[in-house]
Amino acid sequence: MNIQQENIQKLVDRRAKARLGGGEKRVEAQHQKGKFTARERIALLLDEGSFEEYDMFVQHRCTHFGMDKQHYDGDGVVTGCGTIDGRLVYVFAQDFTVTGGSLSKTMSEKICKVMDMAVRNGAPVIGLNDSGGARIQEGIDALAGYGEIFERNILASGVVPQISGILGPCAGGAVYSPALTDFTLMVKNTSYMFLTGPAVVKSVIGEEVTQEELGGATVHASKSGVAHFAAENEEEGIATLKKLLSFLPQNNREEAPLRPTADPYNRVDDALNSIIPDNPNKPYDMYAVIRSIVDDGDFFEVHRAYARNIIVGFAHMNGRSVGVVANQPAMLAGALDINASRKAARFVRFCDAFNIPLVTLVDVPGFLCGTHQEYGAIIANGAKLLYAFGEATVPKVTVTLRKSYGGAHIVMSCKQLRGDLNYAWPSANIAVMGADGAVGVLYAKDMKAAATPEEAARIREEKKKEYDDLFNNPYQAAQKGYIDDIIEPRNTRFRVIRALEQLAAKQQEVPAKKHDNLPL
Ligand code: HXC
């Protein structure tokens, strides 16, 4: 072997050692927990052979607590770029086998490097988190490292999609990086997120709770909404991340890729002509409507288990990626509450930031009322959704299926919030409130003064009919141009697609400003 060959062999050996992370024993322990290693995860995520790794030889610079004798090439995180379905992405995956994936200053530098490259080159960043948090031996250096990452999360927000997979522990301030990204996925039973773990919770407030109950995937996907997706296992989780990316553009200057479909753009669905029950208080399933109108019935739902009275997610319509926002009459009658407003507002803002048109399906009886909602600031939270739709400049197509009452009518992408094309089914009723409530307010005195209960009932029914004739239909709104057309339900797919085609080159501005002041 000559010197050059020796040097090459040295490189090969060093790479092989780096690829082993914290060593076989720790890799085995990772597998025993039902978890993959950082490199195995990257292999699952990226197109085969596409991964280019950076900073494989980076080492930490800490000398305290014996760390000067503990060096691993790569220092607990694998970073680089590759492709998913042929499209460039940047990725970092924390390696739990090296000091528990804990974050050192050099690890943060590696992560920041790929984030900077992602922004510069206009490609999504995917972070796979599996870490014991700040590397305790490094003290303030580790904290500073988090600060550097958070600042980049903030600056990259709305520029490139940022996606977090939580595939192990994520605790303390470390949770804020995923929280700053656009989408967070967790895996049931092997990942958790919380500010303080069960032991501290018990000592501080005396509450006994398990890791899973405090910050597991199911909890965050259904109760807090911190996680957008909860996967059964890592394979399913990584497949979900890949599917999510297929709906997104690479950055805020581009459009999402077209997905060719054999589903005819003018396909009619007669079932939609009889989906609305005669009784206005009876629910129906909004998922059936969504699946009927999108390409191939393929709807990719976001936040499926959280605030189920509103549905948000991605689909394609004639090959074009769209964001769907729909009230769900089968859950809380489709009323808007705090969680539904926050959920939908965040989704609408994501779509607007990344040039994804919005298709809004409306059947909303109003906002949920009561002290629980008022004390929880339904006013400010409802305003978030109002704000999100009102500021959005992407194409906005709205279809009102049935109820659209009061403030909720305005919030759900109405014409006055710069809705581009607003359609209604013949079953739509657009009014300040339903007939019962309206008559109760307007004719309370007359009904009280009625000589007999029968007389009061007669007044109620007569006035309800008058109110229904006037408002329990879409024609009042159509006469005034507040909706653009009344459409047959069976034609909804075709009409929405045609609207989106018309709006494909839409240009709309918001006034110049430093930034807005969304009611947080
Ligand atoms: C340094 C760490 C570490 C950390 C784990 N390790 N966490 N090393 N700093 N924060 C090391 C362990 O010493 C061990 O090293 C290896 O990683 C695996 O850890 P184990 O404890 O053996 O694994 P496990 O039993 O699975 O427990 C995982 C764990 C636990 C629950 C994450 O390690 C743990 O509680 N760690 C501390 C968590 C924490 O309090 N972090 C600080 C949060 S505050 P060896 O050599 O034996 O393999 C924070 C502030 C951020 O992060 C602020 C941002 C603004």
Side-chain angles (χ1 to χ4, degrees), residues 26 33 35 67 70 72 96-103 131-137 142-143 146-147 150 169-176 192 195 211:
R26 290 192 182 94
K33 289 181 200 153
K35 290 160 65 180
M67 287 304 281
Q70 252 193 75
Y72 294 91
F96 192 82
T97 69
V98 177
T99 54
S102 58
L103 189 119
S131 166
R135 189 165 303 166
I136 295 163
Q137 296 91 331
L143 298 186
Y146 275 116
F150 298 165
C170 186
V175 295
Y176 285 114
Y192 52 87
L195 285 179
Q211 269 188 9

Side-chain angles (χ1 to χ4, degrees), residues 405 429 431-443 447 460-461 463-469 471-472:
Y405 293 153
N429 43 94
V432 173
M433 59 179 76
D436 267 324
V439 169
V441 173
L442 295 178
Y443 295 97
M447 289 189 286
R460 173 175 289 281
E461 287 316 305
K463 292 299 171 191
K464 262 175 67 179
K465 182 170 181 326
E466 192 181 329
Y467 188 89
D468 275 344
D469 287 347
F471 293 122
N472 192 4

Side-chain angles (χ1 to χ4, degrees), residues 30 33-37 41 44-45 127-130 164-170 178 183-194 211-222 226-241:
Q30 179 85 341
K33 289 181 200 153
K35 290 160 65 180
F36 287 120
T37 64
R41 288 166 179 160
L44 271 177
L45 181 70
L128 302 178
N129 298 265
D130 186 0
S164 300
I166 311 296
L167 307 176
C170 186
F183 297 100
T184 297
L185 175 139
M186 296 182 73
V187 175
K188 290 181 188 166
N189 303 315
T190 53
S191 72
Y192 52 87
M193 295 176 82
F194 36 65
Q211 269 188 9
E212 197 62 23
E213 288 164 350
L214 186 63
T218 305
V219 161
H220 282 310
S222 62
V226 164
H228 300 80
F229 308 98
E232 292 299 326
N233 52 50
E234 291 196 21
E235 281 111 326
E236 186 191 299
I238 287 174
T240 302
L241 297 183

Side-chain angles (χ1 to χ4, degrees), residues 148-473:
E148 301 274 1
I149 294 170
F150 298 165
E151 181 64 20
R152 278 166 179 78
N153 285 135
I154 295 161
L155 296 179
S157 181
V159 180
V160 293
Q162 300 183 82
I163 296 169
S164 300
I166 311 296
L167 307 176
C170 186
V175 295
Y176 285 114
S177 178
L180 290 166
T181 63
D182 298 305
F183 297 100
T184 297
L185 175 139
M186 296 182 73
V187 175
K188 290 181 188 166
N189 303 315
T190 53
S191 72
Y192 52 87
M193 295 176 82
F194 36 65
L195 285 179
T196 41
V200 179
V201 169
K202 179 150 193 256
S203 74
V204 176
I205 59 168
E207 187 184 352
E208 288 212 34
V209 65
T210 64
Q211 269 188 9
E212 197 62 23
E213 288 164 350
L214 186 63
T218 305
V219 161
H220 282 310
S222 62
K223 287 188 191 302
S224 73
V226 164
H228 300 80
F229 308 98
E232 292 299 326
N233 52 50
E234 291 196 21
E235 281 111 326
E236 186 191 299
I238 287 174
T240 302
L241 297 183
K242 290 163 84 158
K243 176 128 200 212
L244 169 63
L245 277 166
S246 72
F247 294 94
L248 313 185
Q250 290 290 90
N251 56 61
N252 64 344
R253 300 180 304 277
E254 295 183 18
E255 307 241 325
L258 288 172
R259 189 182 74 179
T261 177
D263 196 355
Y265 72 96
N266 56 358
R267 172 174 54 76
V268 298
D269 184 356
D270 290 327
L272 293 186
N273 273 9
S274 51
I275 198 168
I276 302 288
D278 289 344
N279 179 348
N281 297 324
K282 263 188 111 178
Y284 57 93
D285 188 6
M286 187 61 89
Y287 287 110
V289 180
I290 298 171
R291 282 194 291 267
S292 158
I293 66 171
V294 302
D295 289 357
D296 310 301
D298 184 14
F299 178 56
F300 180 79
E301 191 171 2
V302 174
H303 261 147
R304 181 186 305 157
Y306 179 71
R308 296 178 61 208
N309 38 331
I310 202 155
I311 300 168
V312 301
F314 298 104
H316 289 92
M317 293 198 79
N318 204 26
R320 204 184 291 278
S321 183
V322 295
V324 179
V325 181
N327 308 113
Q328 169 59 296
M331 191 60 66
L332 284 177
L336 287 173
D337 61 358
I338 294 166
N339 292 348
S341 302
R342 286 177 43 228
K343 163 177 162 176
R346 182 131 177 92
F347 182 75
V348 166
R349 295 195 98 218
F350 176 83
C351 290
D352 187 47
F354 289 101
N355 313 316
I356 298 171
L358 289 161
V359 175
T360 305
L361 305 176
V362 182
D363 188 346
V364 64
F367 278 96
L368 204 62
C369 57
T371 50
H372 182 71
Q373 290 293 308
E374 295 292 355
Y375 295 175
I378 182 64
I379 295 172
N381 286 291
K384 284 178 191 154
L385 183 54
L386 175 62
Y387 199 109
F389 270 125
E391 74 174 340
T393 56
V394 286
K396 292 186 283 192
V397 181
T398 304
V399 184
T400 301
L401 281 58
R402 188 167 65 170
K403 298 168 193 168
S404 185
Y405 293 153
H409 160 72
I410 301 293
V411 167
M412 290 301 295
S413 198
C414 72
K415 197 79 192 157
Q416 293 73 29
L417 294 182
R418 304 195 296 178
D420 292 299
L421 284 161
N422 290 54
Y423 300 123
W425 286 5
S427 46
N429 43 94
I430 302 169
V432 173
M433 59 179 76
D436 267 324
V439 169
V441 173
L442 295 178
Y443 295 97
K445 279 189 196 139
D446 304 58
M447 289 189 286
K448 219 169 156 196
T452 61
E454 291 74 29
E455 172 68 1
R458 192 193 56 73
I459 295 173
R460 173 175 289 281
E461 287 316 305
E462 193 182 295
K463 292 299 171 191
K464 262 175 67 179
K465 182 170 181 326
E466 192 181 329
Y467 188 89
D468 275 344
D469 287 347
L470 194 58
F471 293 122
N472 192 4
N473 60 66

Side-chain angles (χ1 to χ4, degrees), residues 511-517:
K513 51 181 103 171
K514 184 174 176 193
H515 61 70
D516 57 37
N517 190 15

Side-chain angles (χ1 to χ4, degrees), residues 80-161:
C81 70
T83 58
I84 294 175
D85 294 332
R87 302 163 72 208
L88 180 68
V89 295
Y90 286 85
V91 61
F92 65 88
Q94 290 171 320
D95 182 352
F96 192 82
T97 69
V98 177
T99 54
S102 58
L103 189 119
S104 65
K105 186 67 173 57
T106 48
M107 187 202 275
S108 77
E109 286 163 6
K110 283 184 68 171
I111 294 173
C112 288
K113 189 190 270 190
V114 285
M115 292 177 81
D116 289 343
M117 291 173 96
V119 170
R120 230 170 22 242
N121 301 325
V125 195
I126 302 167
L128 302 178
N129 298 265
D130 186 0
S131 166
R135 189 165 303 166
I136 295 163
Q137 296 91 331
E138 292 210 3
I140 184 67
D141 275 343
L143 298 186
Y146 275 116
E148 301 274 1
I149 294 170
F150 298 165
E151 181 64 20
R152 278 166 179 78
N153 285 135
I154 295 161
L155 296 179
S157 181
V159 180
V160 293

